[in-house]
Amino acid sequence: MNNIRLTMLPLLFILCFVGKVTAETSTPLASWNEGKAKQSVMAFVENVVNTDSADFVPPSERIAVFDNDGTLWAEQPMYFQLFFAIDRIKALAPEHPEWKTKEPFASVLKGDMEGVLAGGEHAILELVMASHAGMSTTEFEVIVNAWLAKAIHPDSGRPYTEMVYQPMLELLHYLRKNNFKTFIVSGGGIEFMRPWTEQVYGIPPEQVIGSSIKVEFEVLDGSPTLIRQPELDFYDDKEGKVVAIHQQIGRRPIAAFGNSDGDLQMLQWTTAGDGARFALYVHHTDDKREWAYDRESSIGRFDKGLDEAKEKGWTVVDMKQDWKTIFPAKK
């Protein structure tokens, strides 16, 4: 147990410090340039919290939902959870000699990411099942924490927990300061996110919704245990996000934030409600400080959502123009 605690200490230091960036930002949305995007966010919030406004929303109904990958932290050159899965496959490879000749594992072990991605969603799902299952939920949480404590993004050289967007950290803080309850609704794994979202984003695990694999209850050595099974339970993307919001939150959000077509149904559902509603897309336009991609990207494709945002007048953040900075200052 002491070894586990020692393993987690570096991560806890990193996470607490990153989370502290938001808490200590006194000026609302300080990393946002003055312009339409910032003005639209603040005008919406000021309107719904004003008790004299016809659009006043009581605190109990101030629900805001956020996608994670590409909205709260980066997602290039591939989803960070896939990096985690690949590192897990490499670590487990000595126990599985058959992987040397079996795809997509063989491509992973050869470092051939094009070969891995050529297998599509089926190959990615196979990697996730092999690397995320066959252990207790407690053991998986320890593994995630240990990986985040030492894993480095291949392009930036920064810990993944520093690849979060400073302007979005400020937005989360601004909303909570105005009595909004903030939720993550992501296609990423729910148990991959829950160990760290509270320290990084200030969003506790019970307010994190994501994709999940099946879990079964067992009593091992007299101790009640939840064991992760190699089978998909729920895929929290596209229309699945709306279903999950209904089932797990029980209120229609009044504000939704995303970055891709996978978030479109969530934004549609949110804005279809009565009263004041707000939808915002993060558009990745900055190829110098981050990455520029949208309609043709295999990761975070933003095509139908971009068209609908323009048609319906939703707020679209142009990263290059609207954000003074993208990532928190390096430690």
Side-chain angles (χ1 to χ4, degrees), residues 32-53:
W32 295 59
N33 286 317
E34 295 300 328
K36 185 177 179 180
K38 180 178 180 178
Q39 290 169 1
S40 68
V41 172
M42 298 188 71
F44 169 76
V45 172
E46 290 170 3
N47 187 33
V48 298
V49 303
N50 182 0
T51 55
D52 294 327
S53 169

Side-chain angles (χ1 to χ4, degrees), residues 65 183 185 190 194 206 208-210 212 233-236 239-253 269:
V65 290
F183 290 80
V185 183
I190 190 169
R194 281 179 168 173
E206 66 270 19
V208 175
I209 299 170
S212 59
D233 183 48
F234 184 78
Y235 184 41
D236 188 45
E239 62 273 9
K241 293 194 173 192
V242 178
V243 172
I245 288 169
H246 170 71
Q247 292 179 337
Q248 299 189 44
I249 299 178
R251 291 185 186 272
R252 191 190 300 244
W269 171 250

Side-chain angles (χ1 to χ4, degrees), residues 17 35 54 56-57 59 70 109 123 149 173 187 226 236 242 265 286 300:
F17 192 89
F56 172 74
V57 177
L109 298 178
H173 177 63
L226 291 173
D236 188 45
V242 178
Q265 290 85 349
D286 196 325

Side-chain angles (χ1 to χ4, degrees), residues 264 268 304-316:
L264 178 57
Q268 290 172 330
K304 294 178 181 178
L306 183 57
D307 290 338
E308 187 150 343
K310 292 178 179 178
E311 177 187 329
K312 294 186 174 179
W314 295 342
T315 297
V316 177

Side-chain angles (χ1 to χ4, degrees), residues 8-25 158-166 169-170 173 176 196-202 327-331:
M8 294 174 65
L9 281 176
L11 175 68
L12 292 175
F13 175 79
I14 292 171
L15 294 182
C16 289
F17 192 89
V18 173
K20 197 175 180 182
V21 173
T22 300
E24 292 185 352
T25 301
R158 302 180 69 167
Y160 288 99
T161 47
E162 289 185 15
M163 296 296 291
V164 297
Y165 301 135
Q166 175 66 24
L169 293 177
E170 294 169 2
H173 177 63
R176 287 193 292 265
W196 53 269
T197 57
E198 187 162 23
Q199 290 86 355
V200 174
Y201 302 138
F327 302 113
K330 289 187 177 182
K331 309 300 180 287

